Amino acid sequence: MKKLSKSVLFILIIFAAYIIFSMSTVEVMPNQKVVIKRFGQFVNTYEEPGLYFKMPMIDSNIVINKAKNIYLVNDSTIITKDKNALVVSSFVVWRIDNPTKYLQTLKDESELLTRLEATVYSNVKIALSNLTSEEIYKQRSTLDKDGRILENIKTQLSEYGIVVDDVRVCKLDLPDENKKANYDRMISERNKLAAQYEAEGEESATKIKNNADREKSAIISKAASEAQKIIAEGEQEYMRVLQESSNTEDKVGFYEFIRSMDALKKMASEKNTIILDKENPLAKYFYGY
């Protein structure tokens, strides 16, 4: 019976020691920071992994996740410099750097997220509202590289013990009620542009055709002029040859003979039989007179 009592007492002592040890220590994991609170005051912060002691029954510990977090800011509508509405969404990469300041300025994570959203939204809105819609779309790939947005957000959230590592605009869109009007406007602008290109093309085609017609007329006129010149030269040469062929009696006789043979050849091609009267001028070449 005494042995049983000693065993129970030993177990109770071990259990009590375990309870006291548990209440006197705090374990810090690699992805955590632990803040020690005593009588409503933050008395210590443990940031390195390990086992630390605290005052049992007096100190309480608050575990803070020190890993990076991503928060997606809700879609919101902003008005651009040229008075157009845009639906914008962004996200922020953040982490708690100063747990004590965080716990002193914010009640809980819900209030932290509210601050994050308000701060990111206001800074993105200010940056984009100073640009026109065209400028925003042209600079879409460089908006995330605008260090002023990130620096302003960092400065404003640092008073809560928050460090912001990155801010990105992940969505730019038109409000649903404006999409159809904008699409119709874009279609109208493209149709006007197409009509302008078509008119310019027709104008160019007319100029090319007119130039081609002028060149054609000039070529034909020049060819006609050269043809008339060649014909005139041919007739002149013909008259010269004709004159040379008839300047003696022998040449006249030979010329008349050639002409008569041509006439007989033509008659022979039209009829199988040729009958010549003795009085016919052609007959003399057959009768010899």
Side-chain angles (χ1 to χ4, degrees), residues 160-173:
Y160 305 111
I162 307 300
V163 169
V164 175
D165 293 310
D166 201 1
V167 175
R168 298 292 179 93
V169 175
C170 56
K171 176 183 177 182
L172 282 173
D173 201 359

Side-chain angles (χ1 to χ4, degrees), residues 15-287:
F15 181 73
Y18 173 76
I19 295 298
I20 294 172
F21 179 79
S22 299
M23 296 176 64
S24 303
T25 59
V26 57
E27 184 181 10
V28 180
M29 304 301 290
N31 62 336
Q32 295 176 342
K33 296 181 180 182
V34 176
V35 179
I36 303 300
K37 189 174 183 180
R38 181 183 302 161
F39 302 122
Q41 301 295 321
F42 301 107
V43 296
N44 210 343
T45 301
Y46 300 117
E47 299 186 5
E48 297 299 324
L51 192 65
Y52 298 90
F53 289 96
K54 64 177 182 176
M55 298 284 292
M57 307 295 293
I58 297 176
D59 292 347
S60 60
N61 58 283
I62 304 171
V63 178
I64 302 295
N65 187 350
K66 66 179 182 180
K68 290 183 178 181
N69 302 275
I70 297 177
Y71 179 72
L72 180 64
V73 180
N74 292 326
D75 289 357
S76 56
T77 301
I78 66 168
I79 305 300
T80 62
K81 188 176 180 180
D82 52 348
K83 308 304 179 184
N84 288 323
L86 281 180
V87 176
V88 179
S89 180
S90 54
F91 69 85
V92 55
V93 181
W94 63 276
R95 55 189 168 87
I96 297 175
D97 182 63
N98 190 327
T100 302
K101 185 181 288 188
Y102 160 66
L103 293 171
Q104 288 173 339
T105 54
L106 301 173
K107 295 179 181 179
D108 51 30
E109 186 175 343
S110 175
E111 186 174 351
L112 164 63
L113 297 180
T114 301
R115 295 283 185 180
L116 273 174
E117 179 152 347
T119 303
V120 173
Y121 166 71
S122 61
N123 281 276
V124 172
K125 177 182 178 181
I126 291 171
L128 298 186
S129 62
N130 289 324
L131 300 173
T132 65
S133 301
E134 184 177 356
E135 289 172 339
I136 290 174
Y137 284 114
K138 283 183 177 179
Q139 300 175 25
R140 176 66 183 87
S141 60
T142 59
L143 285 176
D144 298 332
K145 299 176 182 177
D146 188 349
R148 291 171 299 176
I149 298 177
L150 179 59
E151 290 303 318
N152 289 340
I153 294 173
K154 277 185 174 182
T155 301
Q156 293 171 25
L157 290 177
S158 63
E159 61 182 276
Y160 305 111
I162 307 300
V163 169
V164 175
D165 293 310
D166 201 1
V167 175
R168 298 292 179 93
V169 175
C170 56
K171 176 183 177 182
L172 282 173
D173 201 359
L174 296 170
D176 291 338
E177 61 272 17
N178 293 354
K179 284 184 178 179
K180 186 178 185 305
N182 279 274
Y183 290 154
D184 291 342
R185 178 178 56 80
M186 291 168 65
I187 292 172
S188 175
E189 290 176 353
R190 294 302 180 274
N191 288 337
K192 288 180 180 178
L193 191 60
Q196 179 183 345
Y197 287 155
E198 185 176 357
E200 291 174 354
E202 290 179 353
E203 182 180 358
S204 297
T206 301
K207 289 180 179 179
I208 293 171
K209 184 177 181 299
N210 291 339
N211 290 335
D213 289 342
R214 282 195 295 269
E215 291 179 3
K216 175 185 174 183
S217 299
I219 292 171
I220 291 175
S221 176
K222 183 178 180 181
S225 175
E226 291 180 353
Q228 290 296 326
K229 181 179 178 181
I230 292 171
I231 291 172
E233 291 175 351
E235 290 179 348
Q236 184 179 1
E237 180 66 13
Y238 168 76
M239 294 303 296
R240 185 187 65 77
V241 172
L242 183 62
Q243 184 178 5
E244 288 181 354
S245 65
S246 59
N247 58 4
T248 63
E249 186 176 349
D250 292 340
K251 289 180 179 180
V252 172
F254 179 74
Y255 176 74
E256 290 179 353
F257 173 74
I258 293 299
R259 292 293 300 272
S260 298
M261 291 301 102
D262 289 339
L264 286 172
K265 182 178 179 181
K266 183 178 180 181
M267 293 171 62
S269 65
E270 296 175 354
K271 300 179 181 180
N272 293 329
T273 303
I274 302 174
I275 301 174
L276 298 174
D277 187 85
K278 285 185 178 183
E279 301 298 327
N280 192 303
L282 298 176
K284 64 181 180 178
Y285 297 107
F286 299 97
Y287 289 100

